[in-house]
Amino acid sequence: MTLDTPRIDSKSVGNPLRYRRLEELEEGLDALPRGPWDRGRERPDRVRLEADAGIPGDAWGRQQGRAITAMEFDVAELIANGQPLALFGDNFYLTLDLSTDNLPAGSRVRVGGAVLEVTAMPHNGCRKFRARFGADALQFVSKTELRHRNLRGIYMRTVEGGEIAPGDPAEVIARALLPASDAKPLS
C-alpha cells in the first residue's frame, strides 16, 4: 500500500460527484467488450488461499461462509468512474465473463495456483454499495433483465488451495450445466 492510497473500511463512502446516472451505466455496459468465456486475468494482491477458507482476515470469509467475492474488472471500472476499486470491497477483479450463462453455480475456475467454485449465493448491492456508487448504480446492478450478467459480481469458494498474484491467469476448468428452467432456447 502506498501513502496516497485511501484507507477503505466498512464506513467508507463514495464521491457523489463520481456517481454515474443509470443511463450512463447502461450505455457504458453496452460499449464494454464482454469478458472472455474461458480464460482471463485477475487483479488482487498476492495471497495464499486454503481449501474451504476465505481470504485470511477478510470480512466476506467471516460473514458469508468463507466466501470469496469476484467482480468483472471492466464493470467495476465503469461503476467506480475513477474511484478506487477497493471501495467495492471485493477480493478479486477478473477479466472474465461472470454471467450465469458462462459460469453457472458449480463451475470451477483456476486462478493462479488455486481452484475456485462459483456458489449459488447471489451477490447483490447493499446500502454500502449505494453509499459508495449511488442509487442509480444499485438500480443498475439489480435490474431484472441484467441479473444474469452478475454485474455486482459472484461468490466463490476455494476447493483447492494455492497462491494467487496480480495478473495470474483465470481459466474456466469446469462449467456446470444450467438447470433446465434457466436454460435459454436455441435460436
Side-chain angles (χ1 to χ4, degrees):
M1 179 181 284
T2 63
L3 295 177
D4 62 344
T5 302
R7 178 163 159 48
I8 307 293
D9 61 26
S10 63
K11 295 176 184 162
S12 297
V13 296
N15 177 351
L17 298 175
R18 297 302 235 166
Y19 295 174
R20 291 185 187 258
R21 294 186 335 272
L22 180 59
E23 297 79 25
E24 292 175 299
L25 291 165
E26 291 171 337
E27 289 171 10
L29 181 64
D30 288 342
L32 289 178
R34 289 295 293 260
W37 273 49
D38 294 317
R39 291 179 181 265
R41 296 209 169 277
E42 62 79 35
R43 299 168 183 253
D45 290 330
R46 180 176 294 277
V47 66
R48 171 117 184 118
L49 300 178
E50 298 298 332
D52 293 320
I55 303 289
D58 180 63
W60 288 117
R62 291 190 308 272
Q63 297 174 4
Q64 304 291 338
R66 303 202 185 282
I68 294 169
T69 57
M71 190 168 181
E72 197 169 325
F73 178 74
D74 289 340
V75 173
E77 281 196 321
L78 170 68
I79 293 170
N81 192 27
Q83 298 184 87
L85 296 186
L87 270 177
F88 287 102
D90 291 310
N91 301 120
F92 303 124
Y93 300 93
L94 302 171
T95 58
L96 187 66
D97 183 335
L98 301 182
S99 70
T100 55
D101 295 338
N102 188 41
L103 293 176
S107 296
R108 291 189 175 192
V109 179
R110 179 172 302 283
V111 181
V115 174
L116 307 174
E117 183 177 83
V118 178
T119 72
M121 186 180 352
H123 190 19
N124 302 315
C126 61
R127 64 179 171 75
K128 288 180 189 177
F129 184 88
R130 181 182 177 156
R132 294 171 181 181
F133 305 106
D136 283 353
L138 181 58
Q139 183 181 353
F140 175 64
V141 300
S142 302
K143 289 184 81 165
T144 303
E145 63 271 21
L146 294 175
R147 192 64 197 118
H148 72 283
R149 293 279 307 268
N150 290 322
L151 297 176
R152 178 57 193 98
I154 59 175
Y155 286 110
M156 304 175 93
R157 70 181 190 91
T158 307
V159 292
E160 286 181 27
E163 192 169 280
I164 296 176
D168 278 351
E171 177 182 7
V172 178
I173 57 173
R175 194 170 276 116
L177 296 176
L178 282 171
S181 63
D182 293 341
K184 293 184 178 177
L186 298 174
S187 3

